Amino acid sequence: MNFNKPMLVSALLAATALGGAAHAQDSEKQYRFVMVSHIGSNDPNMGWLTKSMEEFEKKYPNVKTEYISTNNYSVQEHVRLLEQAISTQPDGIAVPIVSSDAFEGPLRRAIEAGIPVVAFNIPDGRPEGERIPYLTYVGGDEFLTGKRLGEYALQKVEAGEIPKPAHMVCASHDSAHQGLKARCAGMKEVMEAAGAKFDELFIGAEPATARNTLQSFLQANPDTNYIFTVAGWSSPWAWSVANEMKLDPDVDDKGMTVLTVDEGPVSIEGVRAGHILATNSQGFWLQGYAPMEWLYWNKQFGYAPQSDILTGPVVINKDNADKWAELVRGVFGDKAYDEQNTW
């Protein structure tokens, strides 16, 4: 993928000027953009996306945005929702490419029908020319997410703050999700280079099943001393299993070390409590706002971005977690933040 950080900065700085020109030029034109997401209301990251889309509508009142998702996720259900959205003939679609194979047919038909598409959160990882011909990708690089978190862990190993990795398990709740696979792959590259064994384990998204699966793995692999959960909300499950097994999962220079992902309350509070070594931000607010703006510019001006746009990762650790907690509370509100903190 060809990411261009300066392009993102330029795009954001240009937003006000372009938006103002758009309203002056054609203020009566109405658009409807649909985000067909894999992130449902059971995932705190939905708050970033929906709130940033609300902010987008304030700036562009002639655009109606819709957020479609389900809490009972499967690739098949996601494709169904996508096809349903396409049938309503929106003016633009934003969608994560959870499965290139499953999404290629519906999205190519939408694009051929004149509906512009922006990928967000998860790109089609194939080379340009082979991938689905969407306008652009806005989001993190999930391989880099795993890699950067792994590199941060090794820095703490070098400083003597946590144990050297002997065996890491990457605990995933969705075996078909190519973004989660990329997170595991980035972590694997770093850990294996450091001499650690590495396994990817499908634990599922149901708490009891996930706990039992992880417990069985740890019993069968007693040399495992690192767990990487590729969803923030599953990190308390991993920590509690390790804690019940008396593997000392809190952050110190012995026992188990747990890492996770995303800037949700459960991830941040896990870091602040000393249960989690580190998590990350992939710029979720931008992933809700920027796709809508690119769709608008494309419809209004015929403009197409010239490269994909990288919004993360940024490592969240004990040094900056308090600041992130303040930021996230400002987005979610105290009630939602506290409800989503499951520690």
Side-chain angles (χ1 to χ4, degrees), residues 232-274:
W233 41 263
S234 61
S235 60
W237 308 346
W239 182 90
S240 66
V241 168
N243 192 50
E244 289 165 7
M245 295 176 70
K246 302 188 184 308
L247 299 177
D248 187 15
D250 280 339
V251 179
D252 53 31
D253 60 357
K254 59 186 181 299
M256 183 73 71
T257 299
V258 183
L259 297 102
T260 194
V261 296
D262 291 337
E263 62 267 65
V266 67
S267 300
I268 293 170
E269 292 306 315
V271 172
R272 296 178 79 196

Side-chain angles (χ1 to χ4, degrees), residues 8-17:
L8 173 59
V9 176
S10 298
L12 295 175
L13 291 175
T16 302

